[in-house]
Each structure stands twice: as structure tokens, then as C-alpha cells.
Amino acid sequence: MAQQHSSKNSPNRQYVLEHTRNIGIAAHIDAGKTTTTERILFYTGVIHKVGEVHDGTAVTDWMEQERERGITITSAAISCGWTTKYGAFAEIPHRINIIDTPGHVDFTAEVERSLRVLDGCVAVFCAVAGVQPQSETVWRQMDKYSVPRIAFINKMDRTGADFLGAVRDIRDKLGGNAHPLFLNIGSEDKFIGLIDLVRMRACVYDESDKDGVRFDDVAIPADMVSLAESSRAGLIESLVDFDDELAEKYLCGDDIGEDELRAAIRKATVSLRFVGVIPGSAFKNRGIQMVVDSIVDYLPNPCDLPPVHGFDDDGAGVELVPDDGAKMASLAFKIAYDPYVGKLVFCRVYVGQLSKGDTVYNPRTRRSERISRLVIMKANQREDIDVAYSGDICAVVGVKGVVTGDTLCDKDLDVRLEPPTFPEPVISMSIEPNSKADQEKLSLALQRLAEEDPTFRITTDQETKQTLISGMGELHLDIIRDRLFREFKVEATAGKPRIAYRETITVRAEGEGKFIRQSGGRGQYGHAVVVLEPAEKGAGVQVANEIVGGVIPKEYIKPVEEGILEGAQGGVVAGYPVVDFVARIVDGSFHEVDSSELAFKMAGIFAFKEAMRKAQAILLEPIMKVEVATPDEYQGDVVGDLNRRRGQIHSMEGKGGLCSVVAFVPLETMFGYATDVRSLTKGRASYSMEPSHFAQVPSSVLAGVVEASSKQAARSM
């Protein structure tokens, strides 16, 4: 069946916009994302031998650290082609650009920036565990960027697999309007095929074909006809609210054809009001072809989505619609360094064409840069191309002053696209080169790693002059250290991990700061009065100018603000940054001759510190949401251990012989937990951890934290 192409397509495109899908594979750690991606690449002909995560042979897990640990650390982009057999897109080749994202919360930035530029997503769930903590995090990220999705319930071959239970989990825990598009025929070791609820046919896999390529298209088994009919009726019922024509036919009792049902599912999925669910087993090579068919049939092409929002130079809103003939605008969503070509900037082209040799404009830096080379990435392999069109994901070589979130566009367009946002680091450690020769290499390596990873920060302790690196968790910083040694050949010693404590105030207080120096000639005079007030959690730092009558001239207000912000970098409890307060500059005085910006900045610092000492400051510590999946017999040991770590048990849920314990635990007590939980459960438990919130450090612990902080500072001097 021929498709109508929009006039927005260049005649030179291999795949038109309507036949392009930009999708991500995202889920909780160990749900099977990379294994699923690997099977998609196999069935689409990109690879001819299936790689395995546990063998370290997966194409998209190409980093040494990924292959050693069996986890995904960096998102990998790869393209493949697919032609479905049924429906409106039957026999039409499609290009699918896939990004396989990490599941571990320490690398959540990779998921965040990938979802920002993707049009659709396959959310992978475990058929035994259902919705897990990181599943919820990823789901929220998809909601944040309004990404349409389908769900793949993986591991149907595992003991305790429950497809319909996982569907209910998505509805109950995630609030998704989830309904099966296929039903499983059997489960666990008897999982032999799927029932297509749109076509009302069964696909039964050939047991002799271990690759899962061959399956028979047969009638639905007699013992499953009733379930299939009721499930199809439930599917249609869930769609009638979104499609008037379908609703009319349904109410009149008319038959609803395959193409009508597919169109309704697509419409509801793209509108974010429906999630189609598919059972399968990536490891056993079952259900993957149905997932790829569903990507083509139900996930959006770039033209299906609302216009992309940006801002012009004056801050006015701009809407961009995919069109190869329009002026070019793209978003740089990821930076990576390649040992052979240098800096790679991954871009999503939203409108226009990006060609090799083009000069592009960066509205943030107000500079133009030339694209010396343009490539499509296939994991860590590169394929040179001359042009990238609207909707394409590519990587450019030759641009220097570009960071994650920058817009690259035609100079005449001058638009800034909304960048992805990233969480703040929660853990830091000092790092020192082992020799002078390593000093320069370390500086360059850290700079490159920070460019690649927006959640990795480098700071210098102003008192100790030590270099501090900060990240999302122990594993995150461990990988950074490993990469410094392997990729950049830097020999460095890392200090013990340090918690990113914060300080805040609990009552309103006023502070007065004076900076007066007289030394014969022109002196220094600055005087400011500041009132501090507590703000809501997460409000950050706000400074308000409430000076009236010109008691402090306008030109000295900004230095006072700078002084307050500098003072807030180190509080009075243990020297940690101060958050969640409002500072009001309410009074002061100046000297006609001696006042200066420096004097008022110092006055701002002194006023802040005095107010802080009166404001009953408290120390805050990062609290982690921890979920431990443990066999039932170790539940008591796990709960007791979490209690000893000052954890608060939030919930316990049993499912299939496993108990899922959710607790909120201070990060300070969680170092080394991976080893401890293995020891407690003889290696049978797994856990995940993600930042939740900050809470006050208990008085019983406070003295120890302050003392440790003082000792650490003293040792570093």
C-alpha cells in the first residue's frame, strides 16, 4: 500500500519523515533493555550474530566498563531498517533510530537527554518483578518530555512470569492506560508464542529454531479463544474515548476492522493516553518482531508530534515544524570523545538539513562553527554521510565550543531550543594526580569528562585547594576513576567519597555587615543589613532588593547580592552550601568617597554570616530511595540491616517468592551496601538506589558529621 508523503520531504531522502522512527529503549536496571536492543538489531539485519550482555558481546555495550560489569553506562545510538507485513505500513521500508539507555540511576543523565530528543519509547518491564523503582523514574522522565510509549513485558520465560499482573502493575503504580496488544501463549518454560489481538491470529514459534526467526501464523488455540475475545473487547473499549468513529461503530455493534483498530491505537498512543503492551522473552528470542511491528505501527514519526518550542533572541516563543526545506535548527544533546576523530557532538535535527561543510550558528556563544564531518553512529562505529535531514539523529565533527543542550542553527533563524535538565550531584571525592606529569593530563581528562556528562562536576575547595569531583553515586565516580586510568592514562589517587551535605535555616533572622578599612589614603566602606527567611524545600536561593530611599546606591546592590551568594557557599554548621532561603537586603549606608564594590561585597558576606548564626541553621543530608528485592527467607535480615542504617521502611510487597522492600535511607550509611547485601542474602538479593530528598541530620549524628568534616579539611591542608 503506497503512503502519501508530505511536501516537507527532500526528494533526496532515503527514508521520508513519515517512515522514520526515533525511539529509545528504557527501563529499570536488569530488565533486559540491551538484550532487547540486541535482538532488534539481529532481526532487522544490522548484525548477523546475537551478542549477549553476560558474555560482554552486546553491540551497544561497547565500553570496556560496560562489558566487564554487564550494565549499560552510556546511551548508544544505532539505526536499523524494518518492513512490517500488515496494516497501513505493510511492505514499506522504515528507518528506526534506536537509543539504548542505561538503567542504573547513577547514569540517569543519559536517559534524560535521550528522552529529550526522542519521538517515542519502548518501556521494558520484567514479567516477574513488574514495575520496579527505576521503572517509575524512567516513566516520570517520559512524562516530563511527553514521550509516547509502548511497553514490552520481558522475561516471560522466567519462573513466576505474570503478563497480566505486569499490565495491572503499570496501571496501578504508574497510572498508565495500559492494555495488551498481544497475549502470551503459555509462560515460564511453556511460553511458546503470542496471540495478536488486532488480527486475532496466533504466532507459534518453531521450537527447533533457537534464533526465533521462524514462527507459524495459526488460528488461536481453542482454550484461549474466550480470553482473546474478551481482551480484544477490552482493548476496543479503552480506545473509544479517543476516537469518535470507533465509538460509533462500537455502540452500534458493528465489526471493527484491523486497519481501523490499528489507526485508533496509533492515535491514542501518540496522544499519550494509551500504552499498548506486548509480552515476550528477549533472551529466548520471542516477541521481538511484534515489538518492532508495534514501533512502526503505533509510535509517532516526527510529523505526528506537536511543533518543537524554542525562543528567539528577544525571548519570544518560536514553533518549529519538521521540514527539509526550512532553515536548519538542531539540538546538541550529547558530547562524546572518540579516540580517532576527537570531539563528537550528537545532534537531533528538528528542521531543515544539516550538511557536511555547513557553517552553523550557536546562539549561546554567538559564534559560528564549521561542520567538517557528519556521521551516523552505530554504537561505537561511524558511517560518514553528506546530509542529515529533519528528524535525523547524527553526530558532527569539527565543532569546539558546544556543550550539552546547545542549539546549532542557521544564523538567520537564531533560535534556542529547550535543553534537557539534569539532577544535582549527591556525592563527591577529592582526586589528586600522582605526579606533576599527571597534573596536566588529569586537568584535560576531567574537563573532557565534564563536557560529556552534565551530572559530573569539578570544583576546587577554596580552603584546601583540592580538586573535588562530584557525581550521582559511588558507581558513577568509580566509572569516572576507571576511565581516567584506562582512556586518559592518568595515575591519580582518590580520597574517600564525601557526602554532598547542605545547610538551611529554620527561623527568620537579621544580620548586619560592615567592612571599614582606613589606611591613610582612600579607605574602604561598605555597610549592609540583610534579613534571611526560610523558603520551601527545593526553592534554592533567592535574593531580593528592598532598599528604599537610596541608602545603598544602585551600583552597590549587585556586589551585596554577590557577597550573599558567596557567603552561602559555606554555612556556619559544617561549612556546606546553604539552600532554600530568601535573603532580603533591607538597609545599609555608604560613604561618598570610600565606598567600593569590593567593600559592599564583603559587607554582604559578613551580613549573611551574622544572620545565618542567628537563624538556627541545620545540616541536611541526602536521603536515598532504596528498593531491595530479596528472597522471602532473608526479609528480616534485610529490614534489620536497613534499620541499623537509619533507614525508614516505606513498604514491603511479596511477589513470587521475592519480597520487595522499599526504604528511605541516608546516603552516608549506604557506602559498601552492595557487598553487605550480598553477604546477608548469600548473593541472592539485588537492590537499586536513587536520590529522593534532603532531610535534617539527627542531633545524635550531627557532632560526628561536623567532626569528620573538620578532620577532612585539616588533613587536606
Side-chain angles (χ1 to χ4, degrees):
M1 174 179 175
Q3 283 294 115
Q4 292 295 314
H5 304 153
S6 70
S7 59
K8 296 170 182 176
N9 287 287
S10 163
N12 300 321
R13 293 183 72 115
Q14 183 180 1
Y15 295 91
V16 297
L17 277 161
E18 290 81 358
H19 302 157
T20 300
R21 304 286 184 272
N22 293 311
I23 63 113
I25 312 286
H28 181 89
I29 189 169
D30 203 32
K33 298 174 300 302
T34 301
T35 307
T36 301
T37 306
E38 219 41 42
R39 269 46 178 191
I40 291 174
L41 298 181
F42 175 69
Y43 292 121
T44 55
V46 173
I47 57 176
H48 303 291
K49 181 178 184 297
V50 174
E52 300 291 0
V53 173
H54 57 268
D55 291 339
T57 55
V59 172
T60 53
D61 279 355
W62 53 269
M63 288 174 66
E64 286 181 62
Q65 293 88 346
E66 292 177 314
R67 291 182 169 176
E68 286 174 357
R69 290 168 167 82
I71 60 170
T72 301
I73 293 168
T74 182
S75 53
I78 198 158
S79 297
C80 58
W82 184 254
T83 304
T84 186
K85 294 179 181 177
Y86 310 105
F89 297 113
E91 308 305 328
I92 299 171
H94 280 67
R95 167 179 275 174
I96 303 173
N97 299 315
I98 301 173
I99 295 183
D100 173 32
T101 64
H104 200 289
V105 71
D106 280 19
F107 310 106
T108 190
E110 292 290 328
V111 185
E112 192 84 23
R113 60 180 165 199
S114 299
L115 290 174
R116 169 63 185 84
V117 298
L118 292 171
D119 301 330
C121 195
V122 178
V124 183
F125 298 89
C126 172
V128 180
V131 173
Q132 296 167 280
Q134 193 63 15
S135 315
E136 296 181 45
T137 304
V138 170
W139 197 270
R140 286 196 303 270
Q141 288 172 310
M142 286 189 265
D143 287 341
K144 175 180 174 181
Y145 294 110
S146 300
V147 179
R149 69 214 71 161
I150 56 175
F152 176 52
I153 309 300
N154 190 26
K155 304 189 180 183
M156 284 301 301
D157 59 304
R158 291 268 295 273
T159 303
D162 181 0
F163 173 62
L164 295 179
V167 175
R168 284 193 298 274
D169 242 14
I170 296 173
R171 290 180 196 156
D172 297 342
K173 293 183 179 177
L174 303 177
N177 182 25
H179 292 270
L181 300 176
F182 296 81
L183 292 176
N184 54 299
I185 303 175
S187 63
E188 301 178 355
D189 59 346
K190 295 183 174 61
F191 176 49
I192 59 168
L194 292 84
I195 295 171
D196 185 339
L197 295 178
V198 174
R199 294 174 51 240
M200 289 302 279
R201 295 282 293 174
C203 306
V204 177
Y205 282 87
D206 184 341
E207 290 290 331
S208 65
D209 178 16
K210 297 301 179 188
D211 287 336
V213 176
R214 295 193 302 273
F215 53 84
D216 297 319
D217 189 63
V218 298
I220 296 171
D223 62 339
M224 294 194 70
V225 169
S226 176
L227 176 61
E229 287 175 345
S230 63
S231 298
R232 191 177 200 267
L235 173 63
I236 294 169
E237 266 184 55
S238 71
L239 295 165
V240 293
D241 290 341
F242 316 126
D243 193 307
D244 293 341
E245 289 180 26
L246 193 76
E248 192 174 331
K249 275 199 159 192
Y250 176 72
L251 292 171
C252 294
D254 296 341
D255 285 338
I256 293 169
E258 288 179 28
D259 288 349
E260 290 173 295
L261 188 50
R262 277 197 187 89
I265 295 169
R266 181 179 183 80
K267 183 178 178 182
T269 303
V270 171
S271 72
L272 300 169
R273 294 181 290 182
F274 177 85
V275 181
V277 192
I278 306 140
S281 167
F283 185 61
K284 294 290 186 181
N285 306 312
R286 290 179 183 172
I288 302 299
Q289 296 96 327
M290 294 72 183
V291 171
V292 190
D293 280 342
S294 298
I295 289 170
V296 169
D297 285 339
Y298 307 127
L299 290 181
N301 64 58
C303 298
D304 288 328
L305 298 172
V308 177
H309 291 278
F311 300 93
D312 65 16
D313 198 29
D314 299 323
V318 177
E319 292 192 340
L320 302 178
V321 177
D323 184 348
D324 289 342
K327 290 172 181 171
M328 194 278 297
S330 63
L331 182 69
F333 68 95
K334 178 179 164 102
I335 309 290
Y337 279 89
D338 186 287
Y340 301 104
V341 300
K343 184 175 180 178
L344 281 170
V345 178
F346 286 74
C347 291
R348 161 70 191 265
V349 182
Y350 281 100
V351 61
Q353 301 179 35
L354 181 60
S355 303
K356 184 171 72 172
D358 279 356
T359 298
V360 296
Y361 180 67
N362 185 339
R364 181 184 62 84
T365 61
R366 301 288 178 201
R367 288 181 54 196
S368 295
E369 306 221 31
R370 189 173 180 276
I371 307 293
S372 62
R373 191 173 168 192
L374 201 57
V375 297
I376 288 179
M377 295 302 294
K378 297 197 170 178
N380 63 333
Q381 302 297 312
R382 300 164 302 280
E383 179 184 315
D384 282 274
I385 57 172
D386 292 325
V387 187
Y389 299 96
S390 297
D392 284 353
I393 291 174
C394 62
V396 299
V397 181
V399 291
K400 293 177 182 175
V402 177
V403 299
T404 299
D406 277 354
T407 300
L408 298 177
C409 62
D410 190 296
K411 189 161 188 177
D412 295 333
L413 185 58
D414 195 8
V415 63
R416 291 193 191 195
L417 300 174
E418 195 72 36
T421 55
F422 302 102
E424 289 294 313
V426 296
I427 185 172
S428 63
M429 65 170 62
S430 61
I431 189 157
E432 297 292 336
N434 287 357
S435 67
K436 282 194 174 181
D438 286 314
Q439 177 73 56
E440 196 173 324
K441 286 197 291 182
L442 176 65
S443 178
L444 177 64
L446 291 177
Q447 184 184 340
R448 285 191 173 182
L449 290 168
E451 273 194 81
E452 289 185 15
D453 184 351
T455 59
F456 173 62
R457 306 280 172 81
I458 312 155
T459 54
T460 302
D461 189 307
Q462 292 304 313
E463 291 184 3
T464 66
K465 304 304 178 188
Q466 275 189 312
T467 299
L468 301 178
I469 57 174
S470 306
M472 299 304 296
E474 275 188 285
L475 179 60
H476 189 191
L477 294 185
D478 189 38
I479 296 294
I480 293 287
R481 281 191 305 182
D482 202 32
R483 290 186 64 191
L484 283 173
F485 176 70
R486 293 196 195 187
E487 288 177 37
F488 299 98
K489 312 296 184 213
V490 176
E491 296 283 352
T493 303
K496 287 185 177 179
R498 298 168 66 178
I499 311 296
Y501 290 102
R502 296 288 184 265
E503 296 182 24
T504 194
I505 60 173
T506 56
V507 299
R508 184 179 186 276
E510 183 179 289
E512 183 177 18
K514 285 185 178 180
F515 184 76
I516 302 171
R517 295 285 185 275
Q518 199 65 48
S519 55
R522 180 178 172 180
Q524 297 280 2
Y525 184 93
H527 173 215
V529 179
V530 172
V531 172
L532 299 186
E533 294 174 355
E536 291 182 6
K537 276 187 180 180
V541 177
Q542 301 165 46
V543 182
N545 173 22
E546 297 184 357
I547 292 294
V548 291
V551 293
I552 299 179
K554 282 185 181 177
E555 63 266 29
Y556 297 136
I557 297 296
K558 193 166 189 301
V560 176
E561 292 178 355
E562 290 172 355
I564 292 168
L565 294 175
E566 187 172 312
Q569 293 303 305
V572 299
V573 181
Y576 290 99
V578 187
V579 296
D580 302 340
F581 69 88
V582 179
R584 305 185 191 281
I585 307 168
V586 296
D587 200 2
S589 62
F590 72 103
H591 190 280
E592 289 282 359
V593 177
D594 291 349
S595 285
S596 66
E597 290 189 1
L598 173 63
F600 273 97
K601 181 178 179 181
M602 295 304 297
I605 294 173
F606 294 157
F608 172 81
K609 293 291 186 184
E610 181 178 298
M612 182 85 182
R613 279 188 282 271
K614 298 176 184 175
Q616 296 179 21
I618 59 172
L619 191 65
L620 303 174
E621 63 181 343
I623 304 296
M624 312 301 284
K625 181 182 179 184
V626 179
E627 173 158 341
V628 186
T630 176
D632 287 336
E633 61 261 40
Y634 301 111
Q635 175 190 328
D637 294 332
V638 167
V639 170
D641 182 64
L642 290 171
N643 284 329
R644 281 192 293 277
R645 295 172 190 269
R646 298 195 283 124
Q648 293 183 334
I649 306 301
H650 178 261
S651 65
M652 289 188 284
E653 182 184 353
K655 188 187 288 184
L658 283 177
C659 178
S660 174
V661 181
V662 178
F664 292 97
V665 192
L667 174 61
E668 184 264 333
T669 68
M670 289 301 290
F671 292 123
Y673 186 65
T675 304
D676 293 345
V677 78
R678 284 193 202 107
S679 175
L680 277 174
T681 62
K682 296 181 180 175
R684 294 176 63 193
S686 62
Y687 82 101
S688 65
M689 182 169 73
E690 62 179 300
S692 174
H693 61 281
F694 278 85
Q696 183 176 355
V697 174
S699 55
S700 58
V701 179
L702 180 60
V705 174
V706 174
E707 185 183 351
S709 178
S710 301
K711 283 182 179 177
Q712 198 160 30
R715 277 198 304 268
S716 304
M717 292 179 72

